[in-house]
Amino acid sequence: MRHRHLRTAALALGVVVLLDVLRVWLPSIITIFGRAAETPAELLGAFALGWFVLALAAPVLVRRLGPRPVGVVAAGVLAAARLALTAAPGGRSQLWLACAGLLAGLVWLAATAATVARPVPGLAFGLAGAAVGHALLGTEDLVWRGGALGWALSVLLVLAFLAASAAAIGWFPRPWHSSAVPERPAAERRSGPTGVRAWLIAGPALLVAGQLALAPALWSASYSYGYGTADFPGLALPPDGPVSWFPAYAIGLFLAAALTRPPSWLGRVVWPATLLAGAVLFAADRPGWLGWAYLLAALGLGGCFARTDGVSGVVEDSAADRAHKATGGDPPDTGAFRRAWAAVCGMVLFAVGCVAYYAAYDLGYANGWVPVGTAGLIALAAVTGPAQAAPVLTGYARRLTALMLAALALLAGEVHRPEHSVASPNQRTAEVRLVAYNIRMGFGLDGRLDLDALTRAVDGSRPDVVLLSEVDRGWLLNGGHDTLALLAGRLRMPYVFAPAADPVWGDAVLSRFPVRAGRTEPLAAHGAPTGAQALGVTLDLGGRELAVVATHLQPPPGQGPVAQAGEVAAFAIRYAAGRPLVLGGDLNTEPGDPAFAEFTRAGLADALVAARPLRTSPADDPRSQIDHVFVTPGLTPSGATAPRSTASDHLPVAVTLALP
């Protein structure tokens, strides 16, 4: 394998490992350091940004000690942290391991940038490979998986990364070379600061790829949204049928655009416009536009990447550089130092974008500008790039890419396939077991994504209907998982999803009975920074119907959700239209509060009153009951419980409802 292809392979594998660590670090900042929004947003943001600011010292370290020793040590620490995170018990140890792995990854990135002047192929293959792997795992990270298979795959990934890195820097003997250090490719020898632009947008590109363009969970959510009907405006009701092939199209378009040499007019105009169009569609908060958003963003991101991979000038090696290389050392390349700075500064931009996006849900401003602004930076780099992009693929690399593109269609078939109804429409039932649960995006009190524990917490009550709050379907800040699809698959229950804060965060209803109709209604914010909605679905219980409403009320700072409670109660009564009704979820109010009284004033009865005190929060020391179930007269509740579990920061509530 040519030396430059070894560097490409090492960079691609390193990106996959770094993304694995980031998918643990990001939710750890929120759930462990942030403690479910108890930590002030300013302190959380400063802590998160501090690690990236600290990495700004990496280029100086690389310049003084050389990229090889720094890169070797950083790669070793990154690999060790990646494996340790799989074994970590969660909590503070997970947080600090993730921080150490992140810092090592940033230092490794700076060292790699100093030796790789043309990073686009490695970055593109790394982002695409991470997306394919995430899709094959159903969007559940490999780092969260234990067992023999999970550990074997993790070890293989880390060993492949370390082996490729060692080969790329010349640790392994290569008898086909005569002596000393392999000669750098002509483009690297002659171009001086070539690669600075590509390294600078690596961080913003990672943000756009993880949040939108190459996010498998977003594909899953978009696919299910595509089957809404006139009765389900904006709802996701998965039907029978094959999964979407769009993931293959998205990755294929991304790689094809990133690894080819387009005409100048195409790169300067079409690719930036395409990327911006995808980001704007995503920021528009329209669920039906998600599919187009990620396809356009994938194509535009790949094309803009290619535009940054040009040769910016001819700078021959100096006599000092040639003498330094003759001794087997790395030349004191000014371009290498610039690339190291660009790589770290690009990751600082990544961190700023993540913090700005998340802080909106504490501070109450519109965060749709974050993906648009990030895409704008990438588009600007492409527009102002060299007039002629350099060729990217040569020789067998072109054939390898063709094979990868062909294989994507097969890989896409492994993306999560939603479960479907298991109850017959003609099966008449006299009672329904219902569970309402705030799942905190799938993260337990220890800060780990443990879907098996979450499944046990729900399935232990043998539910027929499940109402879920804080459902995440692809937030990069939470690791990019489709938590709803993963949980529904384990429970073997189909779902209906309704967006609240944005198209991939909201509430859901899972049911063993067929769903016949549904509607979602956004709730007025009333000063609350996070959006809320009311989701109504109609279940067929074998000749009779049951109206179910799921919601998660968001109180304004320092107040109760009184206004939203009144809106939800009124919506539920209208939606039920005389049919038996059950309403539940995380209502962020306690019995006796004014918001709680809004439901009883509407004629609804507390289905959990017989089991009080039934405290549900916090899960490890429950002191308050803020999760509730209300019913209309005629439904008879019994067997109310709040099973103990630390799979979320809330306890689930379960109750059996006898139909009239």
Side-chain angles (χ1 to χ4, degrees):
M1 182 179 288
R2 296 178 183 175
H3 186 63
R4 64 190 178 93
H5 293 323
L6 283 172
R7 290 180 177 179
T8 296
L11 176 55
L13 289 167
V15 168
V16 174
V17 175
L18 178 57
L19 281 171
D20 269 3
V21 173
L22 271 171
R23 290 197 186 106
V24 177
W25 182 81
L26 285 167
S28 295
I29 291 294
I30 296 172
T31 60
I32 300 174
F33 185 84
R35 294 181 300 175
E38 292 180 14
T39 302
E42 296 83 357
L43 179 59
L44 186 149
F47 181 82
L49 288 173
W51 294 96
F52 291 83
V53 173
L54 184 62
L56 290 174
V60 178
L61 194 65
V62 168
R63 191 171 196 175
R64 290 187 176 181
L65 302 180
R68 292 187 178 186
V70 172
V72 167
V73 173
V77 176
L78 173 61
R82 164 62 184 82
L83 290 179
L85 284 171
T86 297
R92 292 286 174 176
S93 60
Q94 174 182 298
L95 174 64
W96 293 116
L97 275 173
C99 290
L102 170 68
L103 185 58
L106 295 175
V107 174
W108 166 81
L109 206 63
T112 302
T115 59
V116 178
R118 300 196 59 198
V120 168
L123 293 172
F125 279 122
L127 291 174
V132 169
H134 215 212
L136 290 174
L137 294 169
T139 76
E140 182 183 5
D141 293 330
L142 185 61
V143 73
W144 301 117
R145 292 171 176 253
L149 180 59
W151 270 105
L153 293 175
S154 295
V155 170
L156 284 175
L157 172 62
V158 165
L159 289 179
F161 164 55
L162 293 176
S165 299
I169 64 173
W171 274 20
F172 295 160
R174 289 187 297 274
W176 55 88
H177 284 293
S178 57
S179 63
V181 179
E183 187 180 20
R184 289 184 294 173
E188 292 185 41
R189 285 187 290 112
R190 300 174 62 246
S191 61
T194 294
V196 170
R197 189 185 304 268
W199 278 110
L200 183 61
I201 70 163
L206 192 154
L207 179 59
V208 172
Q211 189 175 41
L212 170 59
L214 298 174
L218 195 66
W219 303 332
S220 178
S222 173
Y223 168 73
S224 57
Y225 273 126
Y227 288 88
T229 67
D231 293 330
F232 292 84
L235 302 186
L237 182 63
D240 293 315
V243 298
S244 170
W245 293 95
F246 274 14
Y249 301 151
I251 298 177
L253 289 172
F254 168 75
L255 284 178
L259 302 177
T260 55
R261 183 171 60 180
S264 179
W265 63 269
L266 183 64
R268 284 189 183 277
V269 179
V270 175
W271 293 148
T274 302
L275 175 60
L276 285 171
V280 169
L281 288 179
F282 175 77
D285 252 11
R286 298 290 296 273
W289 294 356
L290 283 182
W292 289 109
Y294 78 70
L295 280 178
L296 291 173
L299 179 61
L301 180 61
C304 289
F305 242 151
R307 285 286 304 160
T308 65
D309 201 50
V311 177
S312 59
V314 177
V315 181
E316 297 290 351
D317 288 336
S318 67
D321 287 348
R322 291 192 295 271
H324 201 82
K325 282 194 294 182
T327 66
D330 289 318
D333 183 8
T334 302
F337 188 56
R338 291 182 182 178
R339 291 193 298 270
W341 269 108
V344 178
C345 289
M347 291 305 295
V348 171
L349 293 175
F350 167 86
V352 169
C354 287
V355 170
Y357 194 87
Y358 178 72
Y361 297 107
D362 286 320
L363 304 180
Y365 59 84
N367 58 8
W369 61 269
V370 174
V372 176
T374 308
L377 290 175
I378 300 170
L380 180 63
V383 169
T384 59
Q388 183 65 47
V392 174
L393 296 182
T394 58
Y396 72 88
R398 183 182 293 112
R399 295 190 292 273
L400 178 63
T401 303
L403 290 174
M404 178 175 286
L405 293 175
L408 289 174
L410 298 176
L411 295 173
E414 298 296 329
V415 178
H416 175 79
R417 180 177 285 104
E419 295 291 336
H420 309 295
S421 291
V422 296
S424 166
N426 297 320
Q427 181 181 350
R428 190 175 182 86
T429 183
E431 62 182 26
V432 173
R433 184 70 172 170
L434 181 139
V435 168
Y437 198 8
N438 181 325
I439 62 172
R440 195 169 78 150
M441 292 78 70
F443 289 91
L445 287 179
D446 57 2
R448 293 184 65 81
L449 182 75
D450 191 343
L451 291 162
D452 291 334
L454 197 64
T455 302
R456 290 193 297 270
V458 175
D459 208 30
S461 297
R462 313 282 298 176
D464 301 302
V465 180
V466 180
L467 314 184
L468 298 179
S469 303
E470 291 194 15
V471 176
D472 172 30
R473 306 204 64 191
W475 265 12
L476 174 63
L477 298 168
N478 293 326
H481 320 104
D482 188 347
T483 311
L484 176 59
L486 289 164
L487 182 58
R490 283 167 166 77
L491 293 172
R492 298 191 58 79
M493 298 176 74
Y495 60 82
V496 177
F497 174 75
D502 61 28
V504 293
W505 194 94
D507 309 293
V509 173
L510 288 72
S511 171
R512 301 191 187 280
F513 303 104
V515 178
R516 296 306 184 202
R519 187 164 71 246
T520 180
E521 182 172 295
L523 303 178
H526 301 290
T530 304
Q533 65 80 52
L535 166 63
V537 299
T538 302
L539 305 181
D540 182 353
L541 305 185
R544 67 175 90 181
E545 293 183 337
L546 176 67
V548 177
V549 173
T551 191
H552 179 193
L553 301 186
Q554 300 290 340
Q559 305 177 40
V562 180
Q564 283 188 349
E567 293 174 14
V568 170
F571 166 81
I573 297 298
R574 289 196 311 271
Y575 180 77
R579 294 169 295 186
L581 166 68
V582 54
L583 182 156
D586 177 0
L587 303 184
N588 275 312
T589 184
E590 295 194 64
D593 289 348
F596 188 91
E598 290 292 323
F599 296 101
T600 56
R601 185 178 298 114
L604 300 175
D606 181 4
L608 309 178
V609 63
R612 283 190 199 157
L614 197 67
R615 301 181 179 94
T616 61
S617 178
D620 56 343
D621 183 22
R623 297 183 296 272
S624 61
Q625 182 186 357
I626 57 176
D627 302 271
H628 303 280
V629 177
F630 291 93
V631 295
T632 49
L635 288 174
T636 305
S638 63
T641 62
R644 297 303 293 263
S645 172
T646 57
S648 171
D649 59 343
H650 287 238
L651 296 179
V653 293
V655 63
T656 299
L657 304 173
L659 277 69

